Amino acid sequence: MKLRNIILIGAAAMLGLASCSDDYLNTPPRDQMSPDGFYSTPSQCNQGVLGVYADLRYISDYEYLMMSEVRSDNMWVEPRPDGERSYSEIGTFRANASEVTFEQTWNAWYKLIYDANMALQKIEKCDFANEAIKNQFLGEAHFLRGWAYFELARLYGNVPLILEPMSSKEANNVKQTDARTVITGTAIPDLEFALDNLPEKGKMVDGLGATVTGRADKSAAQGMLARVYMQLAGFPFNDTEAESKAKTYLEQLLAKKSQYWAPTIDAWRSQWLPSNANKYSVFAIQYRTGGSGNPAIFDMSPELPPSFTSIRIFGNHIYPNKALMYQFERTQSNGSKDLRGENYSYIHGYDKESASFPTYSQQFEDVTVDGVTTSQQVNAINYKYMASKRKCKEFGIDGTIENSMVDYYDWPVNYPVIRIEDMMLLYAEILCDEGDIAGAMNQVNEIRSRAGVDLRPTSGISKDEATKYIRLERQLELFGEGVRWFDEVRYGTWQQDIINKFNSYSNPDGTDVSSVADGRYLYPIPSNQMSIVPGLYSQNKGY
């Protein structure tokens, strides 16, 4: 792995440009080197842009795991764990504006925005011998800022819009802008600027003109614009013109599908291992060992014994929903199960290895899906991102990555933000809405064929049936990738989906369907932000 070709997520690699802030709007970051003296050469500008990427480190954990997967009907959480746990509070809808994860996510995105604003201002003033490199750096900063505002708008709704470096006093007095305007007035123009100025895959460079990988390129901008417009097409925005705009970007990106398509199930299964980083992702958050690893893996599952990993896993009680387990585990006409499931997206457990790790106690409950009642495991272990010794051995990959990990947050496993299958299934949604059922099912079936599962009919089905197939395929293919909650919101099914999940588990102590209240498709503005200037922000409905 050539480190010059990887985004080094960590302050040490960024000369301090990625320093953190407990409360961004209240206390802007203080860099070790003044930006005025730093952005003076193309190489320094390159490091400054990498510093903006560095702000993404905890997004896989804070947002995509906790605020999407855990919140959605992909996962079931233990409602009453041994102490107050963020995953339990969020997954049961008990969490309020004081929940620390909501504050951490807000701060992470605004930290990135602060750094992106600084980069945009300083890079513009720097002299470059090659203007194309300058435009690429500006495009990357615009991409990251536009993406940040999109995420903030779909997480929190109306948020403060800050488009230039500000003092804490100035930032603290910026009022909220409505979510639609944040997306259409800032996120989309930023992403369009990125699209116009970013090179294609394989043509990204650093400040010296050397080729680099793992950064946002033209394909990433096309994919993100498609995602943004599909979000606008659904609830709560219901923009009737958004799908046609998304279709344009999807067709541009899908014309390059061969660059991102894992051709076999083994290629699909191994793409989350460190040696295959960036092989198939359109865009991913980059991680490496040495203090710059992926922190989400520590929080994803119960502890695992030494034959899997010598690294401590926190032991959270976050499990695949038993209704989704039914879909993965059901026997297909060829006699097999979904090849994406057991031993790859999850494991059922493990045999006894020591007194500390006795045989994993599997628990089962009945679940009824589409009128069929089966017994399914309710405590399967999430495994998609786990670069375990066993998984590495299976694919002939160096299993000594743990030796260079500095702590249990340091997994060198990238987190995919945009995959080509996501784009294929968004395109299927559009084709279905246009009445092209066969075309939509062809997109679905290409994915299902690789997974070894029965194909969907391409004729003789209604639009509603085809829509159901597409949505289920998104849930299976993109399981664990931070997509599901936002899908449920734009479908307008989030409330009923969660109530159905609670009911299927018989509403144990710690859950209450009344908590799944109107308006809670948004998260609350964090209480610390509400208190900086009392009365400046309006809190979201339901909090």
Side-chain angles (χ1 to χ4, degrees):
M1 181 181 296
K2 296 181 179 179
L3 296 184
R4 67 173 183 165
N5 291 345
I6 297 296
I7 299 169
L8 305 182
I9 307 294
M14 304 306 157
L15 298 181
L17 287 175
S19 58
C20 295
S21 169
D22 291 335
D23 183 344
Y24 161 71
L25 288 181
N26 193 34
T27 309
R30 292 175 293 181
D31 299 329
Q32 293 178 10
M33 182 180 293
S34 169
D36 290 332
F38 184 72
Y39 287 90
S40 58
T41 68
S43 291
Q44 289 181 351
C45 290
N46 179 64
Q47 288 180 299
V49 171
L50 292 180
V52 187
Y53 283 105
D55 296 328
L56 294 170
R57 184 182 180 192
Y58 287 92
I59 294 301
S60 63
D61 198 8
Y62 298 160
E63 178 176 346
Y64 291 142
L65 174 59
M66 295 297 178
M67 295 175 73
S68 181
E69 290 299 309
V70 165
R71 188 75 152 186
S72 76
D73 65 351
N74 269 358
M75 301 293 179
W76 175 252
V77 301
E78 171 57 51
R80 295 293 188 191
D82 53 348
E84 184 172 328
R85 305 294 183 194
S86 290
Y87 69 85
S88 185
E89 299 299 306
I90 295 170
T92 60
F93 281 68
R94 297 193 304 260
N96 57 33
S98 63
E99 165 56 46
V100 64
T101 303
F102 303 160
E103 178 82 7
Q104 290 169 327
T105 306
W106 175 285
N107 286 340
W109 282 122
Y110 273 107
K111 171 64 169 62
L112 184 149
I113 288 166
Y114 177 92
D115 288 342
N117 284 339
M118 186 64 70
L120 288 168
Q121 183 186 80
K122 300 302 180 182
I123 293 171
E124 190 65 55
K125 298 176 182 179
C126 182
D127 292 329
F128 282 70
N130 187 333
E131 284 295 307
I133 296 177
K134 180 177 184 176
N135 290 336
Q136 176 199 305
F137 292 168
L138 291 171
E140 290 178 89
H142 276 287
F143 174 90
L144 291 165
R145 187 179 70 175
W147 172 28
Y149 273 121
F150 170 60
E151 297 292 359
L152 286 165
R154 65 177 182 166
L155 287 168
Y156 302 102
N158 304 340
V159 295
L161 194 58
I162 300 170
L163 300 178
E164 60 186 12
M166 289 185 178
S167 68
S168 59
K169 183 177 180 180
E170 291 171 324
N172 289 342
N173 285 281
V174 175
K175 297 180 179 181
Q176 291 162 292
T177 296
D178 71 275
R180 184 188 296 271
T181 301
V182 170
I183 293 174
T184 60
T186 296
I188 289 174
D190 270 350
L191 293 169
E192 288 175 336
F193 181 97
L195 178 62
D196 291 341
N197 288 278
L198 290 175
E200 292 282 4
K201 179 181 180 181
K203 296 183 179 179
M204 299 286 289
V205 297
D206 62 16
L208 299 176
T211 301
V212 294
T213 61
R215 293 162 70 159
D217 57 19
K218 190 177 292 291
S219 292
Q222 290 163 337
M224 193 63 72
L225 279 162
R227 176 175 290 175
V228 170
Y229 276 114
M230 289 301 285
Q231 202 79 41
L232 285 174
F235 179 84
F237 304 105
N238 302 313
D239 185 336
T240 57
E241 298 179 357
E243 270 200 4
S244 64
K245 295 175 182 177
K247 185 178 182 181
T248 297
Y249 295 117
L250 287 168
E251 289 179 340
Q252 291 172 1
L253 179 52
L254 291 175
K256 300 175 280 188
K257 185 176 74 173
S258 61
Q259 299 179 39
Y260 305 104
W261 173 257
T264 66
I265 191 60
D266 278 346
W268 185 93
R269 287 167 167 175
S270 64
Q271 67 183 297
W272 288 277
L273 294 173
S275 62
N276 288 332
N278 302 314
K279 191 169 184 179
Y280 300 113
S281 295
V282 176
F283 178 67
I285 301 175
Q286 309 289 298
Y287 295 101
R288 69 173 180 89
T289 58
S292 308
N294 187 344
I297 295 170
F298 174 71
D299 284 327
M300 283 184 177
S301 70
E303 286 191 272
L304 292 170
S307 67
F308 287 86
T309 177
S310 302
I311 304 298
R312 179 193 169 208
I313 304 297
F314 189 66
N316 284 336
H317 299 283
I318 303 171
Y319 309 112
N321 183 356
K322 62 183 178 180
L324 192 57
M325 289 292 293
Y326 164 77
Q327 301 292 352
F328 277 122
E329 290 282 297
R330 64 190 303 180
T331 302
Q332 306 295 312
S333 60
N334 61 8
S336 72
K337 300 176 183 178
D338 193 314
L339 299 176
R340 298 167 294 192
E342 184 178 2
N343 293 326
Y344 302 100
S345 290
Y346 59 84
I347 56 174
H348 290 296
Y350 45 80
D351 294 330
K352 179 179 179 179
E353 294 194 12
S354 67
S356 298
F357 285 98
T359 300
Y360 188 73
S361 178
Q362 299 179 25
Q363 300 169 16
F364 292 82
E365 291 181 5
D366 285 350
V367 62
T368 301
V369 180
D370 295 333
V372 177
T373 300
T374 59
S375 180
Q376 297 295 331
Q377 187 177 1
V378 295
N379 66 337
I381 298 171
N382 287 307
Y383 196 61
K384 195 169 193 176
Y385 297 95
M386 173 53 64
S388 68
K389 297 174 185 177
R390 295 187 181 193
K391 196 184 289 186
C392 288
K393 182 178 179 180
E394 176 182 354
F395 291 102
I397 293 168
D398 181 6
T400 63
I401 58 171
E402 296 180 6
N403 296 340
S404 59
M405 291 173 60
V406 300
D407 58 28
Y408 39 69
Y409 287 126
D410 205 28
W411 288 93
V413 177
N414 287 357
Y415 200 96
V417 176
I418 301 172
R419 286 202 296 120
I420 202 67
E421 293 86 349
D422 181 358
M423 302 294 104
M424 292 169 64
L425 292 169
L426 288 180
Y427 191 56
E429 290 184 22
I430 295 173
L431 294 177
C432 184
D433 286 344
E434 293 176 344
D436 184 1
I437 303 300
M441 291 302 97
N442 286 338
Q443 298 291 323
V444 171
N445 285 336
E446 187 170 5
I447 294 169
R448 291 182 66 80
S449 177
R450 183 181 58 191
V453 290
D454 295 339
L455 304 185
R456 301 303 190 189
T458 57
S459 62
I461 59 173
S462 67
K463 177 181 174 181
D464 287 346
E465 290 172 313
T467 296
K468 182 178 178 180
Y469 288 146
I470 296 166
R471 292 179 178 182
L472 176 58
E473 200 59 34
R474 286 184 63 78
Q475 193 173 11
L476 293 166
E477 175 66 24
L478 305 175
F479 172 74
E481 297 181 34
V483 172
R484 179 61 179 173
W485 172 249
F486 300 111
D487 274 357
E488 291 179 289
V489 170
R490 67 186 179 87
Y491 297 152
T493 63
W494 67 273
Q495 193 170 33
Q496 193 59 54
D497 288 347
I498 302 305
I499 290 173
N500 290 345
K501 180 178 73 169
F502 284 6
N503 288 340
S504 75
Y505 284 83
S506 302
N507 294 293
D509 180 42
T511 65
D512 187 338
V513 294
S514 67
S515 298
V516 192
D518 292 348
R520 289 202 165 189
Y521 65 91
L522 291 176
Y523 287 98
I525 306 298
S527 56
N528 284 344
Q529 303 301 325
M530 294 292 295
S531 65
I532 293 172
V533 180
L536 182 67
Y537 297 163
S538 296
Q539 186 56 276
N540 290 325
K541 181 180 178 181
Y543 300 99

